[in-house]
Amino acid sequence: MESFLFQASVYLGAAVIAVPIAARLGLGSVLGYLLAGIIIGPVFHLVAATDDLRHFAEFGVVMMLFLIGLELEPRALWDMRHRLVGLGGSQVVLTMLAVMAAAMTLGVGWAPALACGMVFALSSTAIVLQTLSEKGLMQTNGGRAAFSVLLTQDIAVIPMLIVLPLLGTTITATLAPDGSIHRPAPPIDDHALSLVDGLPGWGVTLVTLSAIALIILAGVYGARPLFRHINSSRLPEMFTAVALLIVCGIAMLMELVGLSPALGTFLAGVVLANSEFRHQLESDIEPFKGLLLGLFFITVGAGIDLGDFLREPFLILGLALGLILLKGVILHVLARVFKLRVRSRMLFTLSLAQAGEFGFVLISFALQLNVFTEELGQRLLLVVALSMLITPLLFILYDWMATKLEEARDAPPPDDKIDEQQPIIIAGIGRFGQIVNRLVQSSGFKTVVIDHDMQTIELMRRFGFKGFFGDPTRPELLHAAGIRKAKVIVAALDDPKANTKLVRFARRLREDVYIVARARDRTHVYELYQAGANKIVREMFDSSLRAGRYVLEEVGMTEYEAAVAQETFYHHDRETVQELAELWDPNIPPSENQAYIKRAQELEKELETALFTAIAARKDDAA
């Protein structure tokens, strides 16, 4: 027990320290977990990454695929069939052949070379999907293409496990009387159970298909009655228990028939995607998935043998980088063939260029079958782990390349030539400015609308509103719009800094123009006040007041009393903001401005008194 608690404390402590630091540095949580594993494993030898712990942690991958399946309806999966077979199948076959050819060139025999191709044809489902989800890239074209390939790779693990025994050097085949091929089984756990051991080929196929059919039928006909029964108990923890039972039970069934647990739970997730209990399942499984995935990444880092790496650092690093380069070239070519756009092509190529966690499984299996020598197997394990460790850096490279691609896009179209001048100029026609413009124009007044978003201007024109494209903060554009003759300027830009710049320039140009400015928050109000705005409107202020009035009405106030409270708060807040703006100093944080804090506290007490007095006075008037 002490050993277990010590290891649990070390793993959790390493994650709590390393992951937030990595995330704040922009490296992502996956690299944080991997570095944490390296620190507590090969660096300080605090823990040892045992096979039992790694198998337990791999259950996070199983849960992740179950959640992904919940997000995919069967129709969506059917729509992906071309990518699964074409894109995914081509990637697995071409990578396997390319790695096999490269290994044979380096002097490896054809059988272990083919096994190397199988190992390196796979990518890391755990790292890639976790990072795509973190970065919000799962629903992009590149993210969907990567997911299709990962799903195909998981399916390909099954025939790979069937073919590997045929490559062993010490296993001979015998022909049974029933015509089936029998081979001595590799060393396995004596306590492991299997439903297919000793069965002929047709029997294995029948049992496997029966297990898949059982999952589908149970999901279609059994899930709803089960969850309704659990719901009637009114015990929330039972939902969590059932969710875990579904994942564990299906994973166990898949292992009994020799299939990947991850594939089984993914299939169950797809079947349950149309269930009304889908979101409940997601919320129950998500915390366990996150912790187990984190533990999986830590065990990968802890399992790296720095001794072997330090003996041949350049060889191992060269093999890992060579693998990434080789897979990257194949992925890039396939992305072009399947007509992915530039940004999606970059994401697809860089996200799948590493080896994957199933590589550990295949290497261990191949070592048991004597397909690999011990020396070759250890090198391959290091290459797989190192390529997975490099993966977060590839995503950072993608972010950098995507940013450069944005910067390299064609220059925006030239500003429109403003051919009219009106007494009201509205700069910014987003969600704020469009309401102002509609109200003013509906009241019979003409406006000149300027915005730097071409799509917004085109949308306005489609609905019959005239607008001009251009940057409202540019002096020449404001002059063309008639700022010299305008009576009112509405500064409604989305960017607070640009809005403040516009107000400051307009005030410097004309002392008498009336400026109504949009503010993001109270600090922005102070900036606009100092810039010279006449009226400042906070984005959420009026709507928040209205919501507060509804709350007061619901907790016992009459509509009249709630309206009085709203009106009193409104006027007091405007006076408060104007007074505090005089004390606000942009060079001193508000939390350190003592005069500001003192006066804010005094005004808050005055607000309570004002509200009480106003409501009491209106009650007296009504009486």
Side-chain angles (χ1 to χ4, degrees):
M1 178 61 72
E2 290 180 0
S3 175
F4 169 76
L5 292 177
F6 173 76
Q7 289 205 22
S9 300
V10 170
Y11 277 109
L12 292 173
V16 168
I17 293 172
V19 175
I21 294 175
R24 291 188 65 179
L25 294 176
L27 303 178
S29 65
V30 173
L31 186 55
Y33 283 119
L34 291 171
L35 292 176
I38 292 174
I39 291 171
I40 65 176
V43 175
F44 292 108
H45 302 287
L46 297 177
V47 294
T50 63
D51 288 339
D52 290 340
L53 183 61
R54 179 173 292 153
H55 293 157
F56 179 71
E58 285 172 358
F59 209 69
V61 182
V62 172
M63 289 186 170
M64 179 176 61
L65 280 172
F66 178 70
L67 291 176
I68 291 171
L70 284 176
E71 297 177 1
L72 278 178
E73 296 183 3
R75 182 179 298 275
L77 190 61
W78 177 252
D79 292 340
M80 293 169 58
R81 65 189 184 280
H82 298 299
R83 281 187 172 180
L84 289 173
V85 177
L87 184 58
S90 300
Q91 184 275 326
V92 171
V93 172
L94 291 177
T95 305
M96 191 165 59
L97 294 176
V99 172
M100 178 183 177
M104 292 180 67
T105 303
L106 296 175
V108 180
W110 74 267
L114 177 57
C116 288
M118 296 179 186
V119 170
F120 292 135
L122 307 176
S123 303
S124 176
T125 302
I127 292 180
V128 175
L129 294 186
Q130 175 78 356
T131 309
L132 288 176
S133 298
E134 277 186 9
K135 294 180 176 292
L137 298 170
M138 184 63 78
Q139 300 305 321
T140 62
N141 286 332
R144 287 184 174 275
F147 172 71
S148 301
V149 171
L150 289 170
L151 187 56
T152 305
Q153 291 175 356
D154 287 344
I155 296 172
V157 171
I158 300 168
M160 288 179 182
L161 290 173
I162 295 173
V163 171
L164 271 178
L166 304 176
L167 304 178
T169 57
T170 59
I171 298 177
T172 57
T174 59
L175 189 65
D178 61 1
S180 62
I181 298 176
H182 279 242
R183 292 177 176 275
I188 58 174
D189 185 358
D190 292 336
H191 302 287
L193 298 176
S194 175
L195 297 178
V196 295
D197 275 354
L199 293 180
W202 63 267
V204 173
T205 303
L206 181 61
V207 171
T208 302
L209 293 177
S210 299
I212 294 174
L214 177 63
I215 292 174
I216 296 174
L217 293 174
V220 173
Y221 297 106
R224 284 181 174 86
L226 174 62
F227 278 106
R228 290 195 185 103
H229 172 69
I230 296 299
N231 186 52
S232 64
S233 69
R234 306 296 179 186
L235 296 173
E237 63 271 18
M238 286 296 99
F239 274 105
T240 304
V242 170
L244 292 174
L245 176 62
I246 289 173
V247 175
C248 295
I250 292 173
M252 181 188 71
L253 178 61
M254 290 296 98
E255 285 193 337
L256 289 177
V257 298
L259 295 181
S260 165
L263 285 176
T265 51
F266 172 78
L267 177 61
V270 173
V271 173
L272 294 171
N274 291 323
S275 168
E276 62 268 32
F277 299 100
R278 161 190 165 186
H279 297 294
Q280 181 69 44
L281 283 169
E282 287 179 348
S283 61
D284 289 335
I285 293 293
E286 184 67 36
F288 297 96
K289 184 267 293 185
L291 283 175
L292 289 175
L293 268 183
L295 180 60
F296 169 76
F297 297 135
I298 292 178
T299 59
V300 171
I304 294 178
D305 191 334
L306 286 183
D308 287 347
F309 175 74
L310 292 176
R311 280 191 290 272
E312 301 175 311
F314 297 108
L315 174 63
I316 302 300
L317 184 60
L319 289 174
L321 293 177
L323 169 66
I324 291 173
L325 180 62
L326 178 61
K327 290 187 73 173
V329 170
I330 293 172
L331 290 164
H332 185 77
V333 171
L334 288 174
R336 281 186 172 274
V337 171
F338 282 83
K339 299 179 180 178
L340 292 181
R341 294 187 176 181
V342 176
R343 188 163 184 165
S344 297
R345 196 157 62 232
M346 291 191 305
L347 177 61
F348 178 75
T349 300
L350 293 174
S351 65
L352 297 175
Q354 78 293 119
E357 53 276 354
F358 280 117
F360 295 121
V361 177
L362 293 180
I363 292 172
S364 299
F365 192 38
L367 284 170
Q368 293 175 1
L369 298 168
N370 293 325
V371 177
F372 295 147
T373 63
E374 189 67 28
E375 180 183 6
L376 178 59
Q378 291 303 317
R379 283 180 179 174
L380 294 179
L381 285 172
L382 278 173
V383 172
V384 171
L386 188 58
S387 70
M388 293 172 69
L389 189 63
I390 294 173
T391 302
L393 302 179
L394 297 179
F395 276 100
I396 294 174
L397 176 61
Y398 164 77
D399 290 337
W400 179 80
M401 293 175 67
T403 301
K404 292 296 181 183
L405 184 64
E406 290 287 339
E407 295 174 355
R409 280 184 174 178
D410 295 334
D415 295 341
D416 290 337
K417 183 178 180 180
I418 300 179
D419 55 5
E420 66 176 72
Q421 296 181 352
Q422 301 295 347
I424 303 170
I425 299 175
I426 298 180
I429 196 66
R431 57 180 183 175
F432 186 96
Q434 64 173 293
I435 300 297
V436 177
N437 185 54
R438 287 171 58 195
L439 173 61
V440 172
Q441 288 199 358
S442 299
S443 301
F445 296 92
K446 299 293 185 180
T447 63
V448 175
V449 175
I450 313 171
D451 197 286
H452 56 73
D453 188 335
M454 192 63 194
Q455 290 183 344
T456 302
I457 293 296
E458 289 176 348
L459 184 62
M460 273 187 64
R461 292 169 179 170
R462 209 170 292 135
F463 282 90
F465 293 95
K466 189 173 183 178
F468 298 97
F469 172 76
D471 183 358
T473 63
R474 293 178 57 189
E476 61 270 24
L477 208 64
L478 287 175
H479 282 293
I483 191 173
R484 292 288 184 183
K485 299 178 181 179
K487 293 182 179 179
V488 180
I489 296 178
V490 180
L493 299 175
D494 290 334
D495 183 0
K497 291 183 178 179
N499 219 34
T500 305
K501 178 182 177 182
L502 171 61
V503 171
R504 187 175 290 112
F505 172 76
R507 178 58 66 216
R508 189 165 59 244
L509 196 64
R510 281 188 56 192
E511 291 289 337
D512 59 330
V513 70
Y514 197 85
I515 302 175
V516 179
R518 165 191 180 181
R520 174 68 58 84
D521 50 31
R522 180 169 285 200
T523 301
H524 193 207
V525 170
Y526 301 150
E527 293 174 353
L528 291 168
Y529 178 80
Q530 291 190 353
N534 297 95
K535 292 290 184 181
I536 304 168
V537 182
R538 275 174 282 169
E539 293 177 356
M540 307 299 294
F541 183 69
D542 292 317
S543 56
S544 300
L545 271 184
R546 192 163 65 252
R549 190 187 78 200
Y550 297 152
V551 172
L552 294 177
E553 292 172 2
E554 196 62 32
V555 295
M557 279 191 179
T558 65
E559 291 186 17
Y560 178 71
E561 290 171 345
V564 170
Q566 178 187 6
E567 183 182 359
T568 304
F569 186 98
Y570 172 82
H571 290 293
H572 184 276
D573 187 83
R574 291 188 66 82
E575 294 170 2
T576 295
V577 170
Q578 189 167 358
E579 186 171 342
L580 290 177
E582 300 288 347
L583 299 173
W584 180 75
D585 187 340
N587 299 315
I588 303 175
S591 59
E592 298 177 10
N593 189 331
Q594 296 303 319
Y596 179 92
I597 294 173
K598 181 180 178 182
R599 187 55 185 149
Q601 292 172 341
E602 294 171 351
L603 290 169
E604 189 66 25
K605 292 179 181 178
E606 291 178 11
L607 172 62
E608 295 176 10
T609 303
L611 285 172
F612 179 80
T613 303
I615 294 172
R618 297 299 175 92
K619 283 183 177 180
D620 292 340
D621 292 342

